[in-house]
Amino acid sequence: MVNSLEQKLFQRYWDDGIVDLIGGVAVLFIGVGYLMEQVLAEIVVVPLGVVAWMILRARIVEPRAGYVKLSRSRRERSGRELAATVGVGTGMLILFVALGVKVRSGDADLSRWVDGLPALLMALPVLMAGALIRARRFAVYAAVFVLGAVSGVQMGFGPGAPLMVGGTVMGVVGATLLARFLAGARAFQQTE
Amino acid sequence: MLQPIIPEIDAFLHEPARLRVLAFLAMVDAADFMHLLRQTGLSRGNLSVQMTKLEDAELVDASKREVDGRLRTAYALSPKGVNALRGYKATMEEILAALPG
């Protein structure tokens, strides 16, 4: 019973939408990077995203929802899972950069399937991040990336467009969750 | 005189509001007053009274931390609190096992 309550607490920890919002903006930024042929700029996205999450959590969530330090066993487990997710995410970024450079160098054979690959590859760390924070909505985001990749290739969009679509979906859902969290916090303060 | 079969329940821990606070603190390393307020659903006044009682009984440890220039109190189960909850759980498991399923 305690385990299921702890699991519920851990899931709620991520329900404020900030991780979705930052993740969405980060992916949108990567997509824009592809459009502007600034593929190397992607490297700064992950560390900037982590710092932004920490700042927003401390500035927006904690003053309203309070501070909690999760149990050591949960933090250790999350740490291991996060390391795996960051590893996969970093691998994807390296692959993106390599593919971006290849496309820029004008390899025509690669260009068609390469266009859908970034969004397809993005689905994997997004799915892993969803498993990490036990949030099913991340499976929907991953599906959006896969659909974006497939339809992007068929319609002849560049590699940036599917990422921008997926990033926008994540960002909009995140902003909606954050607005709901803030409204809930206001209602809670009024009943106090 | 015969010893009672049903073990004695710790009335201090068994109080619903205190038990909710202690059960929550058993799941985490620490939580501040605001977080406990949100997660237990207790009123500010009730939670304040319960936290004072738990501190007085040395079942929880309180520590101050500064957030944006304001002092916030974070609470954690003390070792005495952990032992008390272990004993309470064993007693309740024994009693609950006797109830119809």
Side-chain angles (χ1 to χ4, degrees):
Chain A
M1 192 63 182
V2 167
N3 282 343
S4 78
L5 286 176
E6 199 272 342
Q7 179 80 10
K8 205 180 282 183
L9 171 73
F10 182 70
Q11 284 173 322
R12 276 198 195 170
Y13 188 82
W14 305 99
D15 274 355
D16 51 61
I18 289 179
V19 73
D20 308 58
L21 184 61
I22 290 173
V25 170
V27 176
L28 194 62
F29 182 77
I30 294 172
V32 171
Y34 267 98
L35 279 187
M36 300 176 73
E37 296 189 356
Q38 297 294 320
V39 182
L40 288 172
E42 294 163 10
I43 291 166
V44 298
V45 164
V46 173
L48 275 181
V50 172
V51 172
W53 176 79
M54 289 167 77
I55 291 171
L56 291 181
R57 172 124 195 127
R59 297 274 171 187
I60 295 176
V61 178
E62 281 190 11
R64 291 166 177 84
Y67 162 82
V68 63
K69 187 176 181 186
L70 298 171
S71 66
R72 174 186 275 198
S73 60
R74 171 62 75 178
R75 283 181 284 130
E76 285 175 353
R77 189 170 151 189
S78 295
R80 285 193 298 273
E81 292 174 353
L82 179 66
T85 305
V86 168
V88 170
T90 306
M92 296 298 108
L93 280 177
I94 292 168
L95 212 53
F96 288 176
V97 172
L99 291 172
V101 169
K102 195 89 171 160
V103 169
R104 278 167 63 181
S105 69
D107 190 330
D109 291 341
L110 279 174
S111 62
R112 183 171 159 76
W113 63 269
V114 155
D115 282 356
L117 209 52
L120 212 54
L121 294 175
M122 182 59 78
L124 189 60
V126 166
L127 205 58
M128 287 183 75
L132 170 68
I133 65 171
R134 312 293 188 266
R136 287 182 196 155
R137 60 186 184 275
F138 276 66
V140 178
Y141 302 151
V144 170
F145 283 112
V146 172
L147 281 174
V150 173
S151 53
V153 168
Q154 285 179 342
M155 292 177 185
F157 296 138
L163 290 173
M164 288 169 68
V165 170
T168 303
V169 170
M170 278 181 79
V172 168
V173 172
T176 307
L177 288 173
L178 184 57
R180 198 181 294 172
F181 167 80
L182 291 173
R186 265 196 304 276
F188 180 78
Q189 279 171 344
Q190 282 164 3
T191 56
E192 267 298 295
Chain B
M1 190 179 152
L2 285 173
Q3 287 289 318
I5 289 176
I6 303 296
E8 196 175 341
I9 297 171
D10 187 330
F12 185 80
L13 296 180
H14 199 63
E15 198 283 323
R18 274 195 288 277
L19 190 54
R20 285 164 87 173
V21 172
L22 289 169
F24 185 82
L25 288 176
M27 294 190 296
V28 299
D29 269 10
D32 70 3
F33 188 85
M34 173 63 85
H35 200 82
L36 288 171
L37 202 59
R38 297 290 298 263
Q39 299 295 338
T40 60
L42 301 177
S43 70
R44 192 176 285 269
N46 191 3
L47 181 59
S48 182
V49 168
Q50 301 309 338
M51 295 320 294
T52 304
K53 286 183 179 177
L54 289 169
E55 267 190 88
D56 290 346
E58 297 176 348
L59 296 178
V60 300
D61 292 327
S63 58
K64 303 278 185 193
R65 60 191 288 268
E66 199 177 310
V67 179
D68 290 336
R70 292 172 63 183
L71 275 181
R72 292 207 173 198
T73 308
Y75 297 96
L77 274 187
S78 67
K80 186 180 171 185
V82 173
N83 283 335
L85 282 179
R86 280 198 182 120
Y88 175 81
K89 186 179 177 182
T91 302
M92 291 308 294
E93 277 176 349
E94 206 177 346
I95 292 172
L96 291 174
L99 301 186

